[in-house]
């Protein structure tokens, strides 16, 4: 059995933002397949993102483990990506439930159930203001030639929405857990503020493009 803990998983993550996104992936049940090979001492999990990514976790004799993922961010980031974080949290929960099932001591079961409850409460705790994003798509009447393009703009905030002038910088700040302010009411605090469920789905898609862009150094975002 691999030696793993929530603190250990958090420390393995590339940064706190990656850990938070991996935790959200786990809570959203994005592990769509998981197998364990007793002969190879290996977990294989499929995590659903913009694509389905394969995560492998190889168990060592001393309880340590190695991991890998085939997502683009592995080429750039040092540390575990969000898919590995989600996979490790899944394995951790599996181990905890296995121990709970195998325990014959009623008092032990009570203690583990209580610990599971408080850990779940900690994982679910959200601090800070919740914002929303709006997408505005402009399509010219006639797209001329191969260079024609539709324009996408974002507005964000709570009661009042502000235009996001540079989408790439906006995504970079969120990705790197940086705080920023747009207007008087849209003040995002890295690690505390969050977005509503619909906006998080949009952000997940855009941040996936941002990750790929950082790896291949292409230009998908421009000032709008």
């Amino acid at each position: 059995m691999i030696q793993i803990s929530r603190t250990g998983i958090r420390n393995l993550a590339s940064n706190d933002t990656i850990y938070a996104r991996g935790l959200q992936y786990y809570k959203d049940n994005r592990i769509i397949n998981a197998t364990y090979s007793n002969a190879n001492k290996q977990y294989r999990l499929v995590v659903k993102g913009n694509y389905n990514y394969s995560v492998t976790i190889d168990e060592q004799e001393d309880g340590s483990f190695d991991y890998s993922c085939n997502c683009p961010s592995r080429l750039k980031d040092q540390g575990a990506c969000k898919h590995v974080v989600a996979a490790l949290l899944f394995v951790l929960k599996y181990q905890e439930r296995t121990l709970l099932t195998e325990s014959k001591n009623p008092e032990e079961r009570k203690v583990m159930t209580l610990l599971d409850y408080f850990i779940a409460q900690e994982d679910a705790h959200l601090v800070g203001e919740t914002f929303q994003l709006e997408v505005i798509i402009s399509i010219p009447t006639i797209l001329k030639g191969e260079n024609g393009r539709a324009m996408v703009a974002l507005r964000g905030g709570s009661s009042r929405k502000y235009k996001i002038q540079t989408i790439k910088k906006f995504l970079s700040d969120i990705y790197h857990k940086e705080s920023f302010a747009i207007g008087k009411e849209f003040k995002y605090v890295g690690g505390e503020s969050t977005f509503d469920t619909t906006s998080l789905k949009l952000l997940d898609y855009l941040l996936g493009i941002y990750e790929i862009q950082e790896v291949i150094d292409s230009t998908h975002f421009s000032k709008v």
Side-chain angles (χ1 to χ4, degrees):
M1 181 178 291
I2 64 177
Q3 301 299 314
I4 189 174
S5 67
R6 281 171 176 75
T7 301
I9 297 172
R10 184 186 291 271
N11 291 336
L12 283 174
S14 299
N15 52 57
D16 288 343
T17 302
I18 293 297
Y19 176 79
R21 296 189 71 205
L23 174 60
Q24 192 62 51
Y25 267 37
Y26 166 73
K27 290 164 66 176
D28 288 345
N29 298 315
R30 294 201 182 211
I31 310 298
I32 59 176
N33 187 44
T35 60
Y36 177 73
S37 169
N38 193 50
N40 297 325
K41 302 297 182 184
Q42 183 185 77
Y43 291 91
R44 296 184 66 87
L45 305 98
V46 177
V47 184
K48 183 179 180 180
N50 293 326
Y51 302 95
N52 292 339
Y53 295 106
S54 176
V55 174
T56 58
I57 302 171
D58 294 296
E59 182 179 340
Q60 306 301 321
E61 292 295 331
D62 60 358
S64 62
F65 58 90
D66 297 320
Y67 60 83
S68 65
C69 179
N70 65 345
C71 73
S73 62
R74 77 190 188 282
L75 302 174
K76 179 178 68 70
D77 294 335
Q78 293 184 348
C81 66
K82 60 182 179 290
H83 310 105
V84 170
V85 168
L88 288 173
L89 288 169
F90 182 91
V91 171
L92 174 61
K93 178 60 69 174
Y94 169 76
Q95 291 185 348
E96 288 174 344
R97 295 199 178 280
T98 299
L99 289 173
L100 183 62
T101 302
E102 293 176 349
S103 174
K104 297 179 180 179
N105 186 328
E107 292 303 316
E108 259 185 34
R109 291 192 179 188
K110 288 181 181 178
V111 170
M112 293 187 70
T113 301
L114 284 171
L115 286 175
D116 186 58
Y117 170 78
F118 285 113
I119 288 170
Q121 294 300 306
E122 179 183 353
D123 287 346
H125 183 59
L126 292 175
V127 180
E129 189 172 359
T130 299
F131 297 107
Q132 301 87 39
L133 290 176
E134 293 180 351
V135 182
I136 302 170
I137 302 176
S138 301
I139 303 177
T141 304
I142 299 177
L143 294 177
K144 296 181 179 179
E146 296 181 355
N147 294 324
R149 62 177 64 182
M151 304 299 292
V152 177
L154 290 181
R155 294 184 182 273
S158 52
S159 58
R160 179 181 177 183
K161 304 299 188 297
Y162 297 87
K163 185 176 181 179
I164 297 168
Q165 297 294 338
T166 308
I167 296 178
K168 183 176 181 180
K169 184 180 185 305
F170 169 73
L171 294 174
S172 176
D173 286 343
I174 292 176
Y175 187 85
H176 296 289
K177 204 176 180 181
E178 299 288 341
S179 300
F180 59 84
I182 302 176
K184 294 181 179 180
E185 299 178 15
F186 189 7
K187 296 181 180 180
Y188 181 90
V189 180
E192 295 185 7
S193 301
T194 186
F195 291 88
D196 63 14
T197 302
T198 302
S199 300
L200 284 174
K201 291 179 180 178
L202 172 63
L203 272 177
D204 185 56
Y205 176 76
L206 293 176
L207 287 169
I209 296 176
Y210 174 82
E211 287 178 344
I212 295 173
Q213 176 183 336
E214 289 299 291
V215 172
I216 66 177
D217 193 30
S218 63
T219 305
H220 293 287
F221 299 105
S222 60
K223 185 175 180 180
V224 293

